[in-house]
Amino acid sequence: MTFSTPRFAVTIVGGGFAGTALALHLTRLAGPLPLDVALVEPRAQPGPGLAYSPALPELLLNVRPRNLSVWAEEPGHFADWLARQPEAADGLPEFTSRAVYGRYLQQELAQVLARPAANGVCISHYASSAVAAPLLSDGRRAVQLESGQLLPSNATVLALGNFPPPPPTGPTSAT
Ligand SMILES: Cc1cc2nc3c(=O)[nH]c(=O)nc-3n(C[C@H](O)[C@H](O)[C@H](O)COP(=O)(O)OP(=O)(O)OC[C@H]3O[C@@H](n4cnc5c(N)ncnc54)[C@H](O)[C@@H]3O)c2cc1C
């Protein structure tokens, strides 16, 4: 698909659930949408993020499959996907593992990373952390990667998840 208008650059920093869901949903908006989306996520596989990366199968989701579709307009999407997986060989589990949900997110995202979406949105994964957001001379911000590479961005989304808690403070000597 070609466009006569300039392409718009969106950078999503963080490829856990929130960043992934945003990237996916951009590909289903009505087009044509001349958007180049850079998904910045240091994990080799974007999608699962912190909550859905663990490999241990005994770490379960606290939500049933029918309520976990990444597509609001297709509420059964995750359950239907799960029904085709080895983990559902004996029937759909009431609660499945967080790692399985991570694989679902990863696979959904892999499809939109592989080729431009029908609406014109192109998504690329940058396997790096963002370290700064300098102002460019044209008034835009860029997202700077650890390598020093700059991603000039018309819009930047921070989908960083939760930060680690600060270390506990010691007892005070308040009077
Ligand atoms: C252990 C655990 C279990 C959970 N279980 C459930 C559950 O069963 N059901 C449920 O509904 N919810 C659950 N949650 C809630 C869960 O956190 C949210 O549902 C959702 O996954 C949060 O997604 P997020 O994208 O905001 O954050 P995250 O998944 O944390 O994603 C943030 C991403 O940002 C990336 N990042 C951070 N800094 C940078 C940077 N500088 N540059 C680039 N990338 C960066 C990180 O690598 C990370 O992948 C759980 C949470 C945790 C922690």
Side-chain angles (χ1 to χ4, degrees):
M1 187 180 292
T2 56
F3 297 94
S4 54
T5 52
R7 293 183 68 82
F8 196 82
V10 176
T11 301
I12 302 173
V13 183
F17 177 83
T20 297
L22 172 62
L24 288 172
H25 281 261
L26 287 174
T27 68
R28 287 200 179 182
L29 293 179
L33 268 185
L35 283 187
D36 288 319
V37 179
L39 183 63
V40 180
E41 167 57 54
R43 294 169 202 266
Q45 300 293 342
L50 175 66
Y52 310 121
S53 285
L56 295 175
E58 57 269 34
L59 296 176
L60 299 182
L61 293 158
N62 59 9
V63 180
R64 289 179 173 79
R66 291 267 164 225
N67 297 322
L68 276 170
S69 172
V70 75
W71 301 109
E73 66 276 24
E74 291 181 68
H77 190 270
F78 173 60
D80 294 345
W81 175 91
L82 180 58
R84 300 190 296 273
Q85 305 304 308
E87 290 81 0
D90 298 325
L92 202 66
E94 188 175 10
F95 292 94
T96 193
S97 75
R98 287 198 263 128
V100 168
Y101 192 64
R103 197 166 82 225
Y104 165 71
L105 294 173
Q106 190 182 316
Q107 288 185 11
E108 285 301 292
L109 189 60
Q111 293 178 41
V112 302
L113 288 169
R115 66 193 72 84
N119 68 355
V121 173
C122 291
I123 302 178
S124 306
H125 171 219
Y126 291 80
S128 174
S129 289
V131 294
L135 195 59
L136 302 177
S137 56
D138 64 4
R140 290 187 299 168
R141 289 262 167 205
V143 169
Q144 185 177 341
L145 306 183
E146 285 172 309
S147 63
Q149 182 179 358
L150 294 176
L151 304 175
S153 312
N154 299 97
T156 304
V157 178
L158 299 181
L160 301 170
N162 293 315
F163 297 116
T169 54
T172 62
S173 56
T175 53

